[in-house]
Amino acid sequence: MTALLPIDDSSISRASSLLREGRLVAFPTETVYGLGADASNGRAVASIYEAKGRPSFNPLIVHVAEISALDPLIEWNSYAQILAKTFWPGPLTLVLPRKKSSPVSLLASAGLDTLAVRIPSHPDAQKLLRAVALPVAAPSANASGKLSPTTASHVAESLNGKIDLILDGGPSPVGVESTVIDLTSPTPTLLRHGGLPKERIEAALGVSVSVADGSCNAPRSPGMLASHYAPDLPVRLNATSVSPDEAFLAFGPSADGGKASLNLSPAGDLAEAAANLFSMLRELDKTSASGIAVAPIPEANLGAAINDRLRRAAAR
Ligand code: TXA
Ligand code: MG
């Protein structure tokens, strides 16, 4: 069952213990309510996608309380430093290169080499992030295809019974999601319009910000803007046998084979498989195999999202 608690010292401490145990907690931010999980725990991140019922893995925003907490996670550049100093805490998300040593699960960034990060200003979000002292991955706390929630009861309508706790901090004052800016290429690019106007970002940077195709016309599917992770080696799906020069990505109690093999989940657990998907694909992609053969994955629950990403990887 899902508990709904007003914010005080005891609910914050309950929420931070739950997050540390890998459970899900919805919490208020100034933009919309977020569905939080420990970003460094792949299983916890998998359960975000499970609770939202998403048919694909979209990269998530990682939230921390203060700028210094981002040093282990991302590579800074001068635009990022200016925007961080000017607008954080606040309704702005920066997409930056992910540090190689970043503890954030690859599932949180859907296998990408980049990471979206944000420091929310809402005092209750700040309290929670300080108490838990972990990077918290949090998409908007709605079921897939529903509007972003701006009150605790919106969250309950959408996710009741699917998450452990909802912290009620009243209505979100901004009411729209954060503005997302990609700073991984020389020209800053707006990926999603949101709570911080583009003009204020341009004024702070002293350069114009380009707008990614589709961000005005398709605001309801902003996830489409993120590029997808694809291995260099060719990927062969639904492999029931593996040749000696292939690498094998197994699932369930299947025999090993090929040049190298890794098992997404020997027990056949889809959440475990999701948590391992991108890191294992990357590992096999580094081998001298001729390609990656992937065992059949059932289409149920998280299997739909796993298969969606595998099909994209195979189709590249
Ligand atoms: O206001 C907000 O941003 C809220 C609160 C909870 O912080 N969060 C939110 O998360 O709206 P979500 O998951 O609903 O939207 C995240 C957006 C998506 O458009 C996603 O594609 C983009 O950020 N995004 C995340 N990581 C990315 C990455 N590495 N590269 C490009 N886009 C990314
Ligand atoms: Mg959303």
Side-chain angles (χ1 to χ4, degrees):
M1 268 296 93
T2 303
L4 198 156
L5 298 174
I7 293 182
D8 55 25
D9 289 351
S10 109
S11 62
I12 290 286
S13 119
R14 172 108 188 90
S16 72
S17 324
L18 283 167
L19 288 171
R20 289 174 165 278
E21 288 161 20
R23 316 296 286 265
L24 301 183
V25 174
F27 63 99
T29 83
E30 71 278 20
T31 56
V32 300
Y33 274 66
L35 177 56
D38 173 0
S40 61
N41 177 338
R43 294 294 292 272
V45 174
S47 57
I48 289 181
Y49 295 105
E50 210 165 25
K52 285 185 64 102
R54 270 192 165 269
S56 68
F57 297 125
N58 275 354
L60 306 176
I61 299 170
V62 171
H63 300 70
V64 296
E66 58 198 349
I67 290 177
S68 62
L70 292 176
D71 294 346
L73 312 187
I74 49 88
E75 305 283 0
W76 287 100
N77 59 44
S78 53
Y79 285 150
Q81 269 153 353
I82 294 169
L83 294 182
K85 279 204 193 102
T86 316
F87 298 115
W88 275 344
L92 172 69
T93 293
L94 302 180
V95 175
L96 290 165
R98 186 192 154 99
K99 260 202 182 141
K100 287 236 155 41
S101 56
S102 170
V104 170
S105 154
L106 269 174
L107 184 61
S109 54
L112 300 173
D113 290 321
T114 59
L115 194 64
V117 291
R118 175 161 111 81
I119 300 182
S121 63
H122 195 294
D124 298 332
Q126 279 283 331
K127 273 184 209 151
L128 177 64
L129 293 169
R130 280 178 202 283
V132 67
L134 287 168
V136 172
S140 50
N142 50 280
S144 176
K146 297 284 186 319
L147 286 177
S148 293
T150 55
T151 66
S153 62
H154 294 166
V155 179
E157 280 161 28
S158 197
L159 296 174
N160 200 19
K162 298 196 165 131
I163 66 178
D164 292 292
L165 173 61
I166 302 170
L167 291 175
D168 186 352
S172 291
V174 175
V176 295
E177 294 92 340
S178 61
T179 302
V180 181
I181 298 277
D182 183 348
L183 296 176
T184 60
S185 56
T187 310
T189 305
L190 184 121
L191 299 182
R192 178 175 75 182
H193 289 288
L196 184 70
K198 172 172 163 273
E199 291 75 9
R200 293 194 55 202
I201 294 168
E202 292 178 323
L205 294 180
V207 296
S208 62
V209 166
S210 65
V211 177
D213 281 353
S215 63
C216 296
N217 302 330
R220 299 187 112 196
S221 51
M224 291 170 64
L225 295 167
S227 56
H228 300 297
Y229 167 68
D232 291 326
L233 291 179
V235 172
R236 185 166 71 83
L237 302 182
N238 296 313
T240 47
S241 66
V242 52
S243 74
D245 57 340
E246 279 182 312
F248 186 40
L249 187 60
F251 175 81
S254 48
D256 292 358
K259 234 179 171 159
S261 82
L262 290 172
N263 197 319
L264 288 169
S265 171
D269 176 321
L270 289 164
E272 182 180 23
N276 286 329
L277 177 66
F278 295 109
S279 55
M280 288 187 173
L281 273 175
R282 278 174 185 259
E283 194 124 331
L284 294 178
D285 200 27
K286 282 190 224 143
T287 64
S288 59
S290 61
I292 304 173
V294 184
I297 314 280
E299 190 67 23
N301 303 318
L302 280 174
I306 294 172
N307 283 321
D308 169 75
R309 284 303 154 135
L310 286 170
R311 277 191 292 270
R312 292 173 199 268
R316 100 222 130 89

